């Protein structure tokens, strides 16, 4: 089952040099209305919760601009028109069919990709997934034209201001979860797991009910790609969140591992209960503590301790 759940090519050591087992904290995130706000902008529910303090129409317009930018980026750079109907739960799902061919001169418009029901079409889809992973690592700053980058930057800043810094606060909290400063965190995209000096490891994993390619593009556009690697993005569209959580548990099956789930919906709550993992329900309504800004590591450590107890010599902010 290991190759079916996107295992990294090189396993991270479980033991440190002195044979002390480090703790591994796995943060499992929902995306929409948790790390980013989009549906609630489009449906105006975010603004309406502020009882007239937010311009409802402005929020809807911001949401539509994001929707257009996401779809345009998916279609122009991530093969979405070709593979929209061939969703997979993670990018490595078909890795066994990728023969490693050099794709520098490969014409994706002429290979006649069809439904991935045979090895040939599974290989063609695997090629696209490999290119998508490479572009994710490359980053949109090195892919988009300058005019689009300017529009993207302005839209991000406009959204962050409108949502009282929800986007930037969520990013800051992801960094805090990793126990790293902003400069050190850039290595996470390639190593998956972040280390710190307190003998604790951390990793952010995304499980979204949206289809895979738009979800990866949203990670890029909402500037989460340095904090959540492409190999840690799962789509529960067909398989459900409980199955994704089981894959994650198998993948990070370390001797001293703790999981915590963050989301706003019933599905991730139910899946967390099945797995017996703590669940932090995000509530975007004003004045709530489990929102951005507002959520703290102290609060999360309480959720951890209720399920797992308090580890000896724990540094709560580590």
């Amino acid at each position: 089952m290991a190759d079916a759940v996107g295992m990294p090519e090189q396993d991270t050591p479980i033991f440190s040099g002195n044979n002390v087992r480090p703790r591994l904290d796995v943060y499992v995130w929902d995306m929409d209305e948790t790390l980013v706000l989009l549906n609630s902008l489009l449906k105006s529910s975010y603004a309406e919760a502020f009882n007239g303090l937010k311009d409802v129409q402005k929020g809807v317009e911001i949401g539509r601009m994001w929707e257009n930018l996401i779809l345009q980026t998916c279609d122009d750079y991530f093969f979405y028109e070709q593979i929209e109907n061939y969703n997979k739960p993670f990018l490595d799902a078909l890795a066994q069919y990728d023969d490693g061919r050099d794709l520098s001169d490969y014409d994706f418009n002429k290979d006649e990709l069809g439904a991935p029901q045979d090895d040939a079409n599974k290989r063609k889809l695997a090629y696209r997934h490999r290119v998508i992973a490479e572009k994710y690592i490359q980053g949109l700053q090195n892919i988009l034209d300058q005019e689009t980058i300017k529009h993207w930057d302005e839209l991000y800043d406009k959204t962050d201001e409108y949502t009282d810094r929800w986007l930037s606060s969520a990013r800051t909290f992801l960094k805090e979860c990793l126990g790293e400063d902003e400069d050190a965190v850039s290595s996470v995209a390639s190593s998956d797991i972040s280390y710190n000096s307190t003998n604790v490891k951390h990793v952010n994993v995304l499980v979204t009910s949206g289809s895979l390619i738009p979800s990866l593009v949203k990670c890029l556009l909402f500037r989460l790609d340095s904090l959540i690697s492409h190999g840690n993005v799962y789509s529960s569209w067909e398989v459900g969140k409980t199955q994704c959580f089981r894959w994650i548990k198998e993948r990070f099956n370390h001797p001293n591992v703790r999981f915590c789930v963050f989301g706003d919906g019933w599905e991730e709550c139910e899946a967390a209960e099945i797995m017996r993992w703590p669940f932090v329900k995000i509530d975007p309504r004003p004045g709530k503590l489990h929102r951005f800004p507002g959520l703290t590591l102290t609060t999360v450590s309480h959720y951890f301790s209720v399920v797992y107890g308090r580890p000896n010599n724990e540094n709560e902010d580590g």
Side-chain angles (χ1 to χ4, degrees), residues 65-318:
M65 285 189 284
W66 275 115
E67 200 171 44
N68 291 335
L69 182 58
I70 291 164
L71 289 174
Q72 179 187 344
T73 306
C74 285
D75 288 343
D76 291 351
Y77 300 99
F78 292 87
F79 307 112
Y80 193 52
E81 285 185 293
Q82 297 180 358
I83 65 177
E84 179 178 3
N85 296 321
Y86 310 140
N87 188 60
K88 295 296 176 184
F90 43 86
L91 277 183
D92 280 348
L94 297 176
Q96 61 183 311
Y97 297 97
D98 188 342
D99 57 12
R101 173 177 173 174
D102 182 358
L103 301 176
S104 57
D105 60 351
Y106 187 89
D107 191 340
F108 288 98
N109 294 316
K110 294 183 179 179
D111 69 349
E112 299 180 345
L113 172 68
Q117 297 171 348
D118 57 64
D119 287 2
N121 280 301
K122 287 177 181 177
R123 186 178 305 109
K124 294 171 187 176
L125 184 55
Y127 287 165
R128 286 162 172 81
H129 283 180
R130 191 201 327 161
V131 172
I132 288 168
E134 291 169 352
K135 288 185 176 181
Y136 191 98
I137 294 171
Q138 187 179 1
L140 291 182
Q141 294 282 0
N142 298 306
I143 296 173
L144 302 178
D145 60 67
Q146 290 303 309
E147 182 179 349
T148 304
I149 289 174
K150 183 174 183 293
H151 170 62
W152 167 33
D153 288 342
E154 291 173 350
L155 181 56
Y156 185 95
D157 291 342
K158 185 177 183 179
T159 308
D160 204 37
E161 180 181 3
Y162 180 79
T163 60
D164 304 319
R165 297 186 300 110
W166 186 287
L167 302 183
S168 57
S169 296
R171 288 189 74 251
T172 297
F173 190 75
L174 285 177
K175 295 173 193 172
E176 292 173 355
C177 287
L178 292 173
E180 300 278 358
D181 58 39
E182 185 169 2
D183 292 333
V185 125
S186 61
S187 65
V188 172
S190 59
S191 65
D192 283 341
I193 296 177
S194 174
Y195 299 79
N196 64 20
S197 59
T198 62
N199 208 36
V200 181
K201 306 175 190 176
H202 313 264
V203 61
N204 288 316
V205 181
L206 184 74
V207 180
T208 172
S209 57
S211 55
L212 182 62
I213 304 310
S215 298
L216 288 162
V217 169
K218 285 162 76 172
C219 281
L220 288 160
L221 287 170
F222 285 101
R223 303 177 182 175
L224 305 175
D225 50 305
S226 65
L227 303 163
I228 304 174
S229 72
H230 62 78
N232 289 341
V233 177
Y234 292 78
S235 167
S236 65
W237 182 268
E238 292 96 355
V239 300
K241 294 207 170 182
T242 302
Q243 177 61 69
C244 289
F245 286 11
R246 286 177 177 143
W247 282 332
I248 291 165
K249 181 180 180 180
E250 181 175 346
R251 180 179 172 192
F252 296 105
N253 188 25
H254 291 187
N256 193 14
V257 63
R258 308 189 304 177
F259 299 90
C260 189
V261 180
F262 303 80
D264 72 307
W266 65 268
E267 189 183 4
E268 54 264 25
C269 177
E270 185 178 78
E273 288 180 358
I274 291 171
M275 303 299 293
R276 298 182 180 179
W277 295 349
F279 175 71
V280 180
K281 182 172 175 57
I282 302 298
D283 190 339
R285 291 177 296 175
K288 302 298 181 178
L289 292 177
H290 296 171
R291 69 191 307 276
F292 297 111
L295 188 62
T296 67
L297 284 179
T298 300
T299 300
V300 174
S301 70
H302 170 72
Y303 279 86
F304 269 131
S305 66
V306 168
V307 174
Y308 298 102
R310 290 188 179 274
N312 295 330
N313 302 319
E314 181 184 47
N315 180 335
E316 294 293 358
D317 290 333

